[in-house]
Amino acid sequence: MSKKLLLAASVAVIMNASPALAGDADLEALRGEIRAMQQAYESKINQLEQKVETLSAQQNKTAKRVAATEPAAGGSSIPATSERRINDNSFNPEIGVILQGQHQSFSADTSEFAGFAVGEEAERGSEGFGIDETELNFSANVDDLFRGSATVALVEEGGSTEVEIEEVYVETTSLPYGLQAKAGRFFSELGYLNSHHSHADDFADRPLPTRAFLNGNYNDDGVQVSAVLPTDIYSEIGGGVYRGDDFPGGGADGNDIGSWTAYGRVGGDIGDDTSWRLGLSTLQVEGGQRSANEDMVVFDGDSGLYIADARMVYAPTGNNAEQEIIFQGEYFHRDEDGTYDDMDAGTGAVAYDDNQSGWYAQSVYKFHPKWRVGARYSQLYAGDVPAGLAGSALDDSGHNPWGASAMVDWTNSEFSRARVQFNREELSDGNEDDQIILQYIMSLGAHGAHAY
Amino acid sequence: MRLLLILIAGLGVLVASPSSAFAKVNIFACEPEWAALAEEIGGDLVNIKSATNARQNVHHIRAKPSLLAGMRKADLVFCSGASLEIGWLPILIKKAGGPDVQPETIGWLMAADYVEKLDVMTEHVDRSMGHVHPEGNPHIHLDPRNVSIIADVLADRLTMIDRENTKAYQQNLAAFQNHWKSLMVTWEAGGRSLKGQKVVVYHNAWAYLLKWLGMDVIASLEPKPGIPPTASHLETVLKNVQGQKVTAILVAPFENEDAAEWLSGKSGIPVVHTPFTVGGNDKADSLTGLFEETIRLLKGGL
């Protein structure tokens, strides 16, 4: 609870709000201020109405002028109006399809994370051909204030193909003061990768810590608010509250807020060539019951995840179309207090109060408008296990899981990409797994712009 | 782990120091040509952030942090439009743009909405045709008549946003238009010898300039808009240009010149590095410089 209070206090400080304890005089002053604000807004609205009238009059004027302008040289076969026709379906949502397919081959028969109990999407994909992560997206402006988006994905789970809701949310588009609010099920702002769809990733699979700590993506049901602050360098703060049902949460009864997030980040440019972003974020699950390792391991308790992320993009003169180098890394630290029960190992519920960590670092070099190469290394560190969990999935047997990847991809246009990736992973002691992934990612129809 | 929360809160306090009262109009210009025009009409009354420079391909810009910071403060978003900035502007607007700079508001000025566009696709459009803009060619700024039209629109917008300084904006506009009209006469006279000349372009970014000057494009180095040149396509272009009198191969500062150099080496047609926008070379340091330089360089190929 003290953490919540502290958060509330922080928010109060951040917003430069009036002191929490207000006297009668203060209250009266506040009322006065609100009245003044009301009047100011009313007059502003009047002004705006006036502006709109002037604007439409002026647009008509310009349109007439354009029509009257005669080309000075060369004939013109351009129609007088270049407006697009408005059809009956012009209000239909934009539809986008991401077609993803891959072929994976593995040298090791099994792949288990030493010292970690993980969710289904943390595991390596299925061997052979697959169409994992094919996505279907519908989105549209709801009205002048809201935008809605729904993304469903085909995922391969336990040998069968399932339709999974990736994101279904509404968000505001035009709040003042750099504010934005989002509600529904969505990829929370958390570290770097979490808020991105996998089709935008620079590698065919996610790095080990993102898989182990976030099961690929944290997309819970809840509400998130963010604010881009009016500073010269970019700075943004935000946070959200959630049901707490998605990994690393679970078993939420909905009586209380199951989990919450908070983040802050800064970024900017260094000359024309380089842009950068740094962030800190946290995901706190309170009293969750997380099932992992195909429901054979259950963690019951509080789990706090802390992430530091960094990204830097270098392109000569900032011209990303020709060449660029991207450096990116995230550090994860998880603090857990509760009980672990490994039913496979028959441990029963064993008290656990320890932490785990992990990191990855990657770089991608675009050396030609169509070609990129990349390398990535990731590492996990499991916590010390109490005697009761010796020999269970939580026992890392002195091994820190690691993975190294190299990839080459070819981008024909912004709508198509093909990739070859080689991974070597040693997730448990002595079990080296060489993986080759061939992948294509193509986009049909509407496709929203990608964030930095 | 309260440390992290304290850090985040501390960060918030550091950066949330309120900005001073609304003084100048903050203009977020997507391209250098619009930043330059805003400078002409707004003068000292505006702060201008140019999102891109002349050496960047505006089709492929990342929605990077500095642009979010710029959009956060914008009172006027001034861009080419016609989907030129589709890969990054929507993110900036959604994330950091206030209610006064949303599409269809006074703070949203897309230049292509106000001029007659070329290359409008009225027939079936799909992406096998490359990076096409169905609503028309967005690179409208290289026709000085368009610049003049947009100058009027901009002055009206600035007047609506900042009424107190109406007089100053109208004065700046009048001064600009007077000067610009006399320059256009000079340029058109100077460019008369270019009429009917043929050029090869890298990307179809020169349509408005060439139409204004009465010049013809006979080939693009890109096989399709936005698709980088391929060896087989270049061979086809080479066959097309052989036996024709071609004045120049036009390359913008942000375009890869390898393909143009190859074609030049095989065909003898000179590569002309035109500035394309303000800042594209040392002499093109203003809108006036941009047009003077462009015509001078084109005539150099005659």
Side-chain angles (χ1 to χ4, degrees):
Chain A
M1 270 338 269
S2 66
K3 283 177 188 166
K4 271 189 193 164
L5 273 178
L6 193 64
L7 179 73
S10 318
V11 169
V13 174
I14 289 163
M15 306 297 270
N16 287 341
S18 52
L21 296 170
D24 279 357
D26 288 344
L27 217 59
E28 201 42 56
L30 212 60
R31 285 202 184 107
E33 264 179 48
I34 290 171
R35 268 196 298 277
M37 266 165 70
Q38 246 172 355
Q39 281 162 4
Y41 272 119
E42 274 164 17
S43 74
K44 177 116 192 183
I45 286 169
N46 286 337
Q47 276 175 16
L48 279 177
E49 280 171 351
Q50 230 174 352
K51 279 185 190 178
V52 171
E53 275 170 32
T54 335
L55 182 64
S56 62
Q58 177 251 321
Q59 248 173 345
N60 287 341
K61 196 178 87 185
T62 318
K64 274 179 206 144
R65 266 228 353 232
V66 173
T69 310
E70 272 296 308
S76 165
S77 57
I78 305 301
T81 60
S82 55
E83 305 296 319
R84 270 204 274 181
R85 274 179 304 143
I86 306 290
N87 297 322
D88 284 336
N89 56 2
S90 58
F91 291 119
N92 284 355
E94 297 145 27
I95 299 172
V97 184
I98 303 290
L99 299 171
Q100 258 196 69
Q102 66 278 320
H103 181 277
Q104 308 196 84
S105 53
F106 310 133
S107 72
D109 295 336
T110 60
S111 176
E112 302 286 338
F113 285 75
F116 288 87
V118 300
E120 276 180 329
E121 282 161 52
E123 295 164 14
R124 61 183 190 183
S126 46
E127 203 157 11
F129 288 106
I131 52 160
D132 233 7
E133 301 294 338
T134 290
E135 290 175 7
L136 183 58
N137 171 266
F138 300 88
S139 62
N141 287 331
V142 176
D143 55 23
D144 58 331
L145 190 53
F146 298 104
R147 183 172 179 82
S149 175
T151 307
V152 294
L154 298 178
V155 288
E156 207 61 30
E157 268 173 22
S160 64
T161 305
E162 290 174 16
V163 176
E164 192 179 89
I165 291 174
E166 273 204 340
E167 294 194 287
V168 177
Y169 64 82
V170 292
E171 63 184 344
T172 60
T173 54
S174 55
L175 289 185
Y177 310 115
L179 288 166
Q180 194 187 16
K182 213 174 197 179
R185 179 177 299 179
F186 51 88
F187 294 149
S188 299
E189 293 290 349
L190 200 57
Y192 178 80
L193 279 178
N194 196 67
S195 58
H196 292 77
H197 283 259
S198 64
H199 71 256
D201 286 3
D202 292 327
F203 289 83
D205 58 353
R206 295 230 143 156
L208 296 181
T210 312
R211 288 157 61 187
F213 293 121
L214 294 168
N215 195 26
N217 270 115
Y218 179 65
N219 58 336
D220 211 337
D221 300 356
V223 179
Q224 178 180 273
V225 177
S226 67
V228 177
L229 304 172
T231 47
D232 285 337
I233 67 161
Y234 158 75
S235 55
E236 181 180 332
I237 52 171
V241 289
Y242 307 91
R243 184 179 170 84
D245 243 348
D246 190 46
F247 190 101
D253 57 13
N255 282 341
D256 207 349
I257 285 164
S259 62
W260 57 268
T261 60
Y263 71 92
R265 49 172 85 124
V266 292
D269 289 341
I270 305 168
D272 283 339
D273 302 338
T274 308
S275 57
W276 59 275
R277 198 188 96 175
L278 294 172
L280 293 173
S281 51
T282 183
L283 165 60
Q284 300 287 330
V285 180
E286 287 164 12
Q289 278 186 315
R290 176 204 317 151
S291 297
N293 285 17
E294 285 157 3
D295 296 341
M296 293 316 289
V297 178
V298 175
F299 171 77
D300 194 336
D302 297 341
S303 171
L305 179 65
Y306 305 87
I307 308 172
D309 63 274
R311 181 173 163 92
M312 194 175 101
V313 179
Y314 168 86
T317 73
N319 191 20
N320 308 77
E322 292 290 324
Q323 282 188 323
E324 77 179 347
I325 306 175
I326 307 170
F327 299 99
Q328 182 183 314
E330 291 180 74
Y331 173 78
F332 295 71
H333 177 95
R334 186 166 71 182
D335 206 350
E336 294 190 303
D337 187 0
T339 60
Y340 263 108
D341 183 352
D342 185 339
M343 286 170 264
D344 258 344
T347 59
V350 179
Y352 181 95
D353 183 3
D354 205 24
N355 49 63
Q356 309 111 30
S357 62
W359 60 274
Y360 75 87
Q362 68 181 46
S363 180
V364 175
Y365 174 38
K366 178 180 185 175
F367 58 94
H368 179 277
K370 290 188 170 190
W371 290 93
R372 311 190 309 163
V373 291
R376 180 182 71 192
Y377 186 82
S378 31
Q379 178 102 56
L380 291 171
Y381 305 94
D384 296 329
V385 288
L389 290 172
S392 75
L394 278 300
D395 186 350
D396 69 1
S397 311
H399 177 77
N400 297 321
W402 63 270
S405 310
M407 77 88 192
V408 180
D409 66 23
W410 174 76
T411 307
N412 183 52
S413 71
E414 55 263 65
F415 308 109
S416 70
R417 174 171 285 167
R419 178 181 286 144
V420 182
Q421 183 173 322
F422 173 76
N423 290 345
R424 173 164 293 168
E425 289 181 350
E426 191 183 358
L427 302 189
S428 56
D429 199 20
N431 188 28
E432 275 200 12
D433 187 12
D434 288 342
Q435 311 176 343
I436 297 168
I437 307 175
L438 304 168
Q439 184 193 30
Y440 65 79
I441 307 163
M442 312 220 172
S443 156
L444 296 183
H447 186 205
H450 284 149
Y452 176 69
Chain B
M1 268 293 151
R2 291 169 191 182
L3 185 65
L4 186 92
L5 286 178
I6 293 168
L7 274 176
I8 291 174
L11 185 76
V13 174
L14 265 181
V15 295
S17 44
S19 54
S20 57
F22 182 79
K24 293 188 176 187
V25 177
N26 287 307
I27 301 179
F28 181 96
C30 287
E31 289 89 19
E33 62 268 18
W34 304 132
L37 184 59
E39 183 82 53
E40 299 273 0
I41 309 299
D44 292 340
L45 300 168
V46 297
N47 278 325
I48 302 159
K49 156 114 188 151
S50 181
T52 59
N53 67 46
R55 302 189 63 81
Q56 296 174 347
N57 186 335
V58 184
H59 293 95
H60 300 275
I61 296 297
R62 289 183 177 276
K64 56 187 183 176
S66 60
L67 300 186
L68 281 168
M71 180 59 76
R72 169 68 176 83
K73 294 184 191 170
D75 303 307
L76 175 65
V77 176
F78 184 16
C79 301
S80 293
S83 299
L84 178 60
E85 302 91 357
I86 191 99
W88 48 283
L89 188 58
I91 289 206
L92 302 177
I93 282 287
K94 195 173 76 176
K95 186 91 195 163
D100 298 336
V101 294
Q102 297 295 319
E104 314 302 323
T105 63
I106 291 159
W108 176 262
L109 171 44
M110 297 293 120
D113 292 348
Y114 292 89
V115 301
E116 189 179 340
K117 287 185 284 297
L118 302 176
D119 311 330
V120 177
M121 309 255 174
T122 47
E123 303 293 314
H124 170 76
V125 177
D126 83 34
R127 286 185 182 146
S128 65
M129 300 156 84
H131 188 115
V132 291
H133 298 272
E135 52 275 77
N137 190 318
H139 308 285
I140 65 151
H141 69 282
L142 280 175
D143 182 337
R145 294 166 301 180
N146 287 347
V147 173
S148 175
I149 291 169
I150 302 307
D152 280 353
V153 179
L154 175 64
D156 283 346
R157 294 299 181 90
L158 285 172
T159 302
M160 284 185 255
I161 292 167
D162 180 19
R163 265 190 205 286
E164 278 176 30
N165 292 304
T166 304
K167 211 173 150 197
Y169 295 127
Q170 294 305 328
Q171 277 170 356
N172 291 350
L173 175 68
F176 174 80
Q177 294 289 28
N178 268 336
H179 186 48
W180 195 251
K181 281 185 179 126
S182 69
L183 287 171
M184 270 168 56
V185 173
T186 316
W187 294 332
E188 277 168 14
R192 206 154 283 149
S193 56
L194 292 165
K195 192 166 182 179
Q197 298 292 324
K198 299 185 180 87
V199 292
V200 173
V201 298
Y202 182 96
H203 174 77
N204 193 12
W206 311 92
Y208 295 88
L209 174 76
L210 300 176
K211 183 169 179 247
W212 171 55
L213 294 170
M215 299 173 75
D216 296 319
V217 176
I218 60 159
S220 296
L221 299 181
E222 291 179 333
K224 282 164 184 173
I227 308 287
T230 57
S232 61
H233 177 70
L234 289 177
E235 291 287 351
T236 314
V237 173
L238 179 60
K239 270 186 211 126
N240 282 348
V241 298
Q242 271 161 351
Q244 295 206 54
K245 188 185 173 330
V246 181
T247 314
I249 304 169
L250 299 187
V251 179
F254 51 83
E255 289 167 345
N256 191 319
E257 60 187 27
D258 294 350
E261 294 294 350
W262 178 89
L263 184 66
S264 176
K266 295 275 179 190
S267 65
I269 306 166
V271 176
V272 175
H273 291 275
T274 34
F276 186 70
T277 181
V278 176
N281 72 23
D282 288 346
K283 287 177 189 155
D285 55 357
S286 63
L287 283 166
T288 307
L290 168 65
F291 283 96
E292 277 172 0
E293 254 314 86
T294 304
I295 290 171
R296 185 185 72 81
L297 288 166
L298 284 173
K299 286 170 80 176
L302 284 179

